[in-house]
Amino acid sequence: KAFSNALQVPILANITEFGNTPLFDVKELAASGVQIILYPLSAFRVMNKAAEEVYKELLTQGTQKGLLTKMQTREELYDYLGYHEFEKKLDSLFGSE
């Protein structure tokens, strides 16, 4: 807090797991004067662990069937991306065949 009070610039926290910095939460960082928070590897580390689980399943079971309930479905992905709305917009702009 003293550091952020002494400066007249935005303070950035680069929060990465498994380092020396404690994993302060957003409220704790904001109370210390931090305005910008980066989590540069959090999603990457979770995705890597998930990929490892998939490959272990394929090696041991010979199929991904046991993982289907953990997967994002095609429809969930399309909903998230707004895929069908995008298709409709393209059709309205360029016509459908």
Side-chain angles (χ1 to χ4, degrees):
K1 185 68 177 169
F3 182 76
S4 66
N5 287 340
L7 299 174
Q8 300 302 311
V9 296
I11 303 296
L12 178 141
N14 185 36
I15 304 300
T16 183
E17 303 78 18
F18 312 111
N20 294 324
T21 305
L23 298 179
F24 297 110
D25 67 33
V26 173
K27 290 180 183 179
E28 291 170 317
L29 290 167
S32 296
V34 172
Q35 293 105 346
I36 305 165
I37 308 168
L38 301 179
Y39 299 94
L41 296 172
S42 302
F44 177 73
R45 287 186 167 123
V46 171
M47 288 185 290
N48 274 350
K49 190 71 169 181
E52 180 183 9
E53 183 180 348
V54 169
Y55 296 128
K56 283 181 180 178
E57 182 83 6
L58 289 170
L59 281 171
T60 61
Q61 304 302 314
T63 179
Q64 75 280 36
K65 288 178 189 175
L67 299 170
L68 291 177
T69 59
K70 295 182 178 186
M71 292 183 183
Q72 182 184 50
T73 65
R74 183 182 311 219
E75 196 57 42
E76 289 169 334
L77 174 63
Y78 286 3
D79 287 346
Y80 181 79
L81 296 175
Y83 178 81
H84 296 298
E85 291 79 14
F86 181 71
E87 272 191 330
K88 288 177 188 175
K89 180 67 173 176
L90 288 177
D91 287 346
S92 71
L93 291 172
F94 303 108
S96 61
E97 294 183 29

